[in-house]
Amino acid sequence: MRRIVNTIEKVDENALQSSFIESVKDTEFASYINSLGIPPEVLMKYTSSLEDCLKEKKNCTKCKSLSVCPNMVKGYAYTPEFIGKKILFSYVACYRYNKHLEETNYLKNIDFFKLPKELKEASFQDIYKDDKARIPIVKYFKEFMENYQKGKSPKGLYLTGSFGSGKTYLIAALFNEMAKRGVRSALIYYPELLRSLKSSFSSDYEERFRYIKRVPLLLLDDIGAENVTAWSRDEVLGPILQYRMEEGLSTFFTSNLNLEELESNFIIKSSSLEKVKARRIMERIKQLTISLSLISENRRNRS
Ligand code: ADP
Ligand code: MG
């Protein structure tokens, strides 16, 4: 029995050896394995993995950007390491990927709820500065950041304007900038928030509600686009605004409606009590924000 095992091992070793010898004929592979400083009798056992490593290494040499990385695990290269008498293989992050991680580290401070991922990259550099309509907003952002830094509780914005003019993008750019300074924020698509609160279990509901009330910077995006109900107005929005007002937490809104239109939208059926309720919400919004408008071309699907 022992003799049979020895014979099989010998055959295996010969196969490994001949595959290794075949591969070493390739000068690139030969110079690659040479650069590793690992004894040939060890290298021989790992020919095909080493070939994979070389392939990925070559991809890295030609790399133009992380987004087109063809390696098996994007941003990583399969890499050999000589440990003991063995070669261990692992995926090692490339410098571009590490840089990307560093640059996007701020995102841990922001929650995007049901909003496009592209907003994560919104930045001040990309604001269309040639568009005069943006000047007061950019000025407001500058003051907001200065005041926030000084420990004040600056008012948020009620940003109204036409569809696709870039309202959400602008606030996302501000929140990204604040996140880089360590300030936590949440950007929430308001109609979807209501839908999710409605369908969440009671414990989940409380937790979400509490979080939205307390997050340092909050954007309620597209307020006025929801179907207003007494519940959404008096039990969701009202308490969120009340809490944030009392605690001096900066709160932002974007809307296609101006303040007067929004007020009418909060009146579900015409009665004096309804008007009072709508007015009460509006008073909180006005207390929390400075109102600016952005009338600009539609930037959606612009190439
Ligand atoms: P609104 O909230 O006013 O409806 P958005 O903020 O969604 O508009 O902007 C519309 C589109 O234009 C989005 O796809 C957004 O990513 C893009 N966009 C807006 N402003 C900029 C900008 N400064 N740079 C790049 N893309 C922008
Ligand atoms: Mg929007």
Side-chain angles (χ1 to χ4, degrees), residues 42-88:
V42 179
L43 288 170
M44 210 171 62
K45 296 180 191 156
Y46 303 93
T47 307
S48 83
S49 295
L50 288 166
E51 281 173 335
D52 290 344
C53 291
L54 174 61
K55 190 172 153 216
E56 298 219 326
K57 189 177 156 69
K58 273 159 66 179
N59 287 339
C60 291
T61 323
K62 287 183 281 180
C63 174
K64 293 234 159 39
S65 108
L66 192 57
S67 59
V68 292
C69 172
N71 284 355
M72 184 93 117
V73 184
K74 202 170 174 169
Y76 289 80
Y78 199 44
T79 309
E81 201 181 348
F82 187 38
I83 294 175
K85 288 183 177 136
K86 285 186 181 163
I87 302 182
L88 297 181

Side-chain angles (χ1 to χ4, degrees), residues 14-26 44 47:
N14 286 342
L16 286 175
Q17 200 165 12
S18 49
S19 133
F20 183 66
I21 290 167
E22 197 52 39
S23 296
V24 171
K25 286 182 188 157
D26 179 298
M44 210 171 62
T47 307

Side-chain angles (χ1 to χ4, degrees), residues 89-269:
F89 293 89
S90 60
Y91 287 98
V92 176
C94 71
Y95 79 95
R96 281 185 206 269
Y97 189 68
N98 279 327
K99 191 161 162 256
H100 168 77
L101 285 182
E102 241 168 67
E103 284 169 0
T104 53
N105 188 34
Y106 69 91
L107 289 174
K108 69 178 189 305
N109 285 327
I110 315 186
D111 294 304
F112 292 86
F113 183 77
K114 304 282 178 190
L115 280 168
K117 290 208 175 67
E118 67 196 27
L119 292 174
K120 293 184 179 177
E121 281 156 30
S123 82
F124 280 170
Q125 272 115 10
D126 293 333
I127 292 179
Y128 303 112
K129 298 207 176 85
D130 52 338
D131 179 0
K132 287 202 171 57
R134 271 149 233 263
I135 295 173
I137 301 167
V138 172
K139 189 165 165 271
Y140 159 86
F141 283 173
K142 198 166 162 274
E143 282 167 13
F144 179 89
M145 290 198 293
E146 279 168 12
N147 286 330
Y148 204 94
Q149 200 116 33
K150 286 184 195 151
K152 297 184 183 165
S153 324
K155 287 189 176 192
L157 264 194
Y158 182 85
L159 191 55
T160 177
S162 48
F163 173 82
S165 54
K167 301 181 293 296
T168 307
Y169 189 95
L170 280 166
I171 309 288
L174 173 68
F175 282 17
N176 285 339
E177 197 55 45
M178 295 300 286
K180 287 174 192 165
R181 298 164 188 223
V183 182
R184 282 203 63 86
S185 62
L187 292 93
I188 293 178
Y189 183 56
Y190 183 64
E192 207 46 60
L193 168 74
L194 294 175
R195 219 164 310 169
S196 88
L197 283 178
K198 233 184 216 166
S199 59
S200 53
F201 296 108
S202 53
S203 60
D204 196 19
Y205 181 103
E206 276 309 315
E207 201 179 308
R208 254 178 223 222
F209 201 56
R210 203 176 128 87
Y211 169 77
I212 292 163
K213 282 205 290 197
R214 291 165 185 245
V215 64
L217 302 180
L218 174 70
L219 166 66
L220 293 180
D221 192 54
D222 243 339
I223 193 166
E226 78 283 14
N227 287 323
V228 178
T229 62
W231 167 77
S232 71
R233 182 192 57 198
D234 305 332
E235 288 174 52
V236 179
L237 188 59
I240 292 175
L241 302 185
Q242 182 68 28
Y243 184 90
R244 299 188 64 86
M245 223 171 72
E246 283 165 8
E247 298 298 316
L249 296 167
S250 303
T251 308
F252 295 71
F253 304 85
T254 68
S255 183
N256 291 337
L257 308 180
N258 64 30
L259 289 167
E260 290 78 48
E261 290 165 334
L262 188 72
E263 180 161 353
S264 312
N265 202 51
F266 282 131
I267 302 172
I268 304 166
K269 42 187 189 302

